[in-house]
Structure formats: C-alpha cells, structure tokens
Amino acid sequence: MSKKQVKSISKEILNKAFIESFKKFDPRILIKNPVIFVVEIGFFLTLILTINPSLFTENEADLRIFNGIISFILFVTVIFANFAESIAEGRGKAQADSLKKTRKKTSANLLKEDGSLVVIDAGSLKKGDIVIVNTGELIPNDGTVIEGIASVDESAITGESAPVIKEAGGDFSSVTGGTRVVSDKIKVQISVSSGESFLDKMINLVEGAERKKTPNEIALNTVLVGLTLIFLVVIVTLFPMGLYAGVHLPLSTLIALLVCLIPTTIGGLLSAIGIAGMDRVNKFNVIAMSGKAVETCGDINTIILDKTGTITFGNRLADDFFPVAGIPKDEMIKYSAISSLKDLTPEGRSIVELSKKLGIILAEKDFDKAEFIEFSAQTKTSGINLENGQKIRKGSGSSIKKFVQEQNGDIPKDLDNIIDRISRLGGTPLVLAVDNKIYGVIYLKDTVKPGLKERFDNIRKMGIKTIMCTGDNPLTAETIAKEAGIDEFVAECTPEEKIEVIKREQAQGKLVAMTGDGTNDAPALAQADVGIAMNSGTIAAKEAANMVDLDSNPTKILEVVEIGKQLLITRGALTTFSIANDVAKYFAIIPAMFIAAIPQMEKLNIMHLSSPMSAIISALIFNAVIIPLLVPIALKGVKYKPMNVQIMLLKNLGIYGVGGIIAPFIGIKFIDLIVTPFLSILGM
C-alpha cells in the first residue's frame, strides 16, 4: 500500500459520508445500532405528533411547533451519528480505491505441459498454474518462485521504492500479484485463484465490507443497550408519576428526556472508533485481517521477538581486532584487511573500513593476481591466496583451528579466552589465520538498533513482558538482551521451542504477540494471539498470521501494540464522556418538566435556563452536536502515553469524566442563550 495514503478527511470523503448518512437512515440498517435506533423511533413518533399533536392526548394541540423542533433535532442527531460512521468508512474506502488503481489488466505467460508458452488474461489463471515473468512484466497473481532469481518492485503494494530480491527456495520466494519484475526472469507457480489474491483481500479489509464487531465492542454494545432499557423503564414510569403529582408530561418531552439520558454520544461514535482503529493500522502499512486482531493488541501481555533484524540490525560489522599473544596488532589488522579486499559481504566491507580508520590502507591493484576464496558453508571460511603462496583465511573458531592443524600449526593458548570474551560481549568471533599460524580474532558486532531500549522501557510501563528468541548461544543472547533491555531470552531457540514459549505464556492467562516471516514461523504465528507476518516472507507465514506488515519491519509490532492500546483507551474515554454528559442533561430537563407543578424544583435549575421549553430544546441540541464535535477524537484516537494502568484510568476519568460533566453545563447554557430569542419570536 502506498505510504501516500489518505491522511485527512477530504472534501470527497465528506460528500460521500453526507450521502451515506441518509442511506443509513433505513431502519433495517440502523437496527444494528440499538441506541441510535431508539433515537430514530423517537424521531418518527415526534414527527407523527407534529402532523397530528392530538393523536394520543387531546390537550397537546398547541405543541405542534415544539414537537416539530424536537422531531427535527432528533432527525439531525441520527444523521450526525450516521455521518460519524460514514466518515470512518469513507477513509477506508478511499484507501481501497487507491489500491484498486494498482490492480491493472494483466496478461500472463502460461507455461503448458509440453513446455510451450501461451499468453492469456491473468484473470483466467488457476491455482497451480505455472507462469514465466520477464523483466518489466507484472506478476499476474500471488504465487511462489520455483525457478530463478529476480529483483521485484513492490512499491505498488508497500510504497517502498527499493526492489527486493525474490528467489526459489527459502523464505523469500513468495510474490504478490500486481508487483513488477525489474530484472532477470522467474518461473512462478500461482498459489491462489482469481479474486483471492493478497491485493483483493487487502481491498476487502480496508473497505470494511466484512468487518465484524469485536468481543469488546459487543460487550460495550450490550452495556449501552442495558442502559437504554433502564432509562426507557424510568421514562415510562415518569408519566404516571407526573399524573400523580398533577403534571401532564407531553410525549415529545418524555422522548426528549429519553434521548438525552441514553448514551447516544458513544452509541453514535462506537462503530466509527472501531473502523478508525483498523484505519490507523492500515495507514501504518499493516493489514489487519480483523478488527479483533487490532483490539487484541491493546490487551497484549507478552511480545515474542526475534533477535536478528528485529532487535539488532542483522549485519555483523567489525568493531575491533584482538591479536593473540606475540602478534603485533597492526600486523593482524593488515592481514585482516587483505583477506577482505574482495569480500563484498557487509562483514568483509566493514573489516576494510575499520582497517582504514586504524591507519591500514591497502591498494587493491597490488592484489589483482591474488585468488579470492568465497565463503563456503562446508568449510565455514573465506579468504585469499596471495601470489607469493601465502594462504589467509578467516572464519569460525573451529574451522580455522582445523585449517591450521591440517598444516601442522599450533593453537595459541589464549585463543579460546579471546573467543569467549567476544561472545560475552554479544559479538561474533571471526578467527584469522595466515598459513599455519593464527593471528587473532576479529570482533564482529551485531548492533542493537538505536532507541530500542527506550521503547522496551515504554513497553514495560504498559505491563508488557518482552521475550527474545534467538538461535545464538546463551552468552551472546544474554549480552544482547541486557543491552536492548529485554526482560527474558531463549537462546539456541528452535521453531518448536517458540511454540512452547507462546503456550507457556498463554497457560498463565496472558495474550501473546509475535512476528515472523518463514515457513517455520507459521505454527508459532498461528498459535500467538496476535501474529504479524512480514510481507517479504512466505505465503504460509502470511496465511497463519492475523496481520501482515507490508514494510516487512519486525519492530513494527511495538507500534501496533500501541495502536491497539489507543483504540481501547479511545473507546473507554468517549464512553466515560458520554455517560458523564447525563448529569448536566438531568439538571436541564427534569426541573423543566416539573417546575410548573412543583415550584421547589427551581432549585435544581442551577444553569438558570430561561424556560422549560428552551431547557429541553437546548439539552437536545447539545446532545446532537456533540457527536460530530467528537468525530475527530474518534478518528484520530486519544493520545496515548505508556503508563501504569491505574494512573491511566485516573487520568482519563479526570479529563473525560470531569470534562463530560462540565462541558454540557457550559454548552447547554450557551445554546439556551441563542435559542431563547427565537422561541420568543415563535411565542413559546
């Protein structure tokens, strides 16, 4: 997905949301939101009373204008609630439209069983078909590279301009339909049928077409319905109580009170908050397979992290040289640089660069006739054979010891101590030998990414435990864990052990998140409560996870957890604000209803509203306008900072609880000052 996504509410989104607001007025659609559905019923009842004020009682004939005003405000309230949801949906659909533009009409070079090629429409491809994709051509559908290696431009999906290498075998063999091959040629086996590609799934997800309510949403919805039923019972009992007190309560007034007391604010914003949560994750270039996955992130207790590429950069770079006893350091540095002159790996280049910084500068042309020995998985060494017959090798401790012993050389007594010391530092020891003599150890350091320690400290403040799983030895794992601020580590970890770690945490009642990209990570991703697969990874990993990171950045799990926390906090904060609003509305409407028959009720009119009718209308207007005013908070989310849960609760109660009580007092009084002159003109 392009990073140039919809970052604001455009005029086009607003126009579409306005139209959708009226479409959602259909009771068959609105019944899915019970609170706002009650408001719609109130609108229809007051509309009937506006047309025929005496339909239910004979003494309400003079309330036609009042009923009409109430009916109009209730209509606007429903429209505002629909508008909030439509804006959130509109942003998702705008993202989907941008994705649809990347889906072009593509042809495919289908490889037939007899070895011939036939050009067909990509939409005709079936799962299992084999296609040839040449330089400059679009990959017709999702699949796996089964032959060849090529650079693939995935910018249409990820927004990243740098091509990625895709090759047969391993964890980087999956390709996505709609991406372009920029070099070489690959043979791809199609893994999905037409309409089931990763891009198609992304479009469906960001459109929200298949979005289902999450468990927390369902629970909160149940609470809101419960509150609505309670207030409905209260309002129904008010009518006979009023008659007993000698007060006739018009039906429109009772409806106004019901609408003001039920949690219409959060009822109108609840769906928008959920959609916006998924939208924020999508804009972060992470595709969430469901709203539940985003929400679960907010409740995560444990994060499982890989070391290489997640906590550390992954490229081991030369940091220092440790010669064995009797070898001058300059001489060791010189031979280290010679062995790496033609070594194009990050390790080799870093050795040459560090040598230059330490004053050892070599002319490459002096070694043109030397034979470079590339690294071999069998020998676990690399190096160079000089023109004078010298053989220089660098590699693991065991492989270099073997190389020296084969030439009847001796092993320095202090070599193992140097290797052990480097391992304790969290580095990789690379032993250097010239012919049958060991010169020393090159210290390769896998550097912890800057700022990670602070971020893990923030994660810890949320009450989340971090566990690093790595294939490194215990000494290296311990050092890296300390440097990064990881709570716990598992060294020499196998894929099976990752699953065991997840199950162990889940057995303690914890929710677990993890990242992965390989086929061997798929079982663990499926086992975790939140599994984030890298887009560069295998199809198996992406299918097992419930989130896919399009940027293939394993550290993004930290941000995703924060987005999940923000979603839950936003919902809680606006729920608190909505319920706290009722206090002010109570002081506005209850005195207005009974003040004529019970003058003592004037003491409850602490806002000194001008008249009973203006009080009811002002409270109802405030109840309606507060919904669109809170839409930006629902979409953007409440600002989140890692802190203790109790402190966070008190802070939100202080801001949104107290604010929810104070704001309506100010708002209703202000609206009263505006509407009073108009009501006077109407003779009310």
Side-chain angles (χ1 to χ4, degrees), residues 498-524:
K498 278 187 182 179
I499 298 176
E500 290 304 314
V501 172
I502 295 171
K503 287 182 177 180
R504 183 193 71 196
E505 293 294 311
Q506 290 173 332
Q508 298 173 26
K510 297 178 180 179
L511 296 179
V512 181
M514 78 158 285
T515 61
D517 60 1
T519 300
N520 60 353
D521 290 326

Side-chain angles (χ1 to χ4, degrees), residues 167-217:
E167 58 183 322
D171 291 340
F172 297 95
S173 59
S174 70
V175 288
T176 305
T179 57
R180 186 181 299 276
V181 173
V182 294
S183 73
D184 302 297
K185 179 176 73 174
I186 49 176
K187 184 186 290 185
V188 177
Q189 183 173 40
I190 302 301
S191 58
V192 297
S193 299
S194 179
E196 298 177 358
S197 70
F198 183 59
L199 186 58
D200 290 315
K201 290 178 182 178
M202 286 167 57
I203 291 169
N204 288 335
L205 288 165
V206 297
E207 278 184 323
E210 299 177 7
R211 182 182 177 274
K212 297 178 181 178
K213 289 186 182 295
T214 64
N216 279 346
E217 269 186 289

Side-chain angles (χ1 to χ4, degrees), residues 427-449:
T428 301
L430 194 66
V431 182
L432 176 77
V434 181
D435 293 327
N436 64 349
K437 188 175 183 180
I438 291 178
Y439 272 55
V441 185
I442 304 168
Y443 172 23
L444 297 179
K445 186 178 182 182
D446 193 358
T447 309
V448 172
K449 293 181 179 179

Side-chain angles (χ1 to χ4, degrees), residues 414-426:
D414 59 341
L415 178 64
D416 288 338
N417 288 334
I418 296 174
I419 292 173
D420 186 58
R421 188 162 79 245
I422 290 174
S423 296
R424 286 184 179 278
L425 291 171

Side-chain angles (χ1 to χ4, degrees), residues 114-163:
D114 60 4
S116 62
L117 286 177
V118 58
V119 179
I120 65 169
D121 180 68
S124 303
L125 289 172
K126 302 184 295 295
K127 185 176 181 179
D129 284 345
I130 295 175
V131 297
I132 303 295
V133 189
N134 300 298
T135 302
E137 294 179 346
L138 290 174
I139 295 171
N141 207 342
D142 296 0
T144 304
V145 179
I146 58 175
E147 186 179 304
I149 180 171
S151 296
V152 178
D153 177 8
E154 295 187 329
S155 58
I157 305 296
T158 67
E160 293 292 336
S161 57

Side-chain angles (χ1 to χ4, degrees), residues 34 75 102 140 222 256 297 314 365 464 478 529 543 596:
F75 173 77
T102 69
T222 303
C297 286
K365 63 180 181 179
I464 298 173
E478 182 180 7
D529 299 284
E543 288 181 347

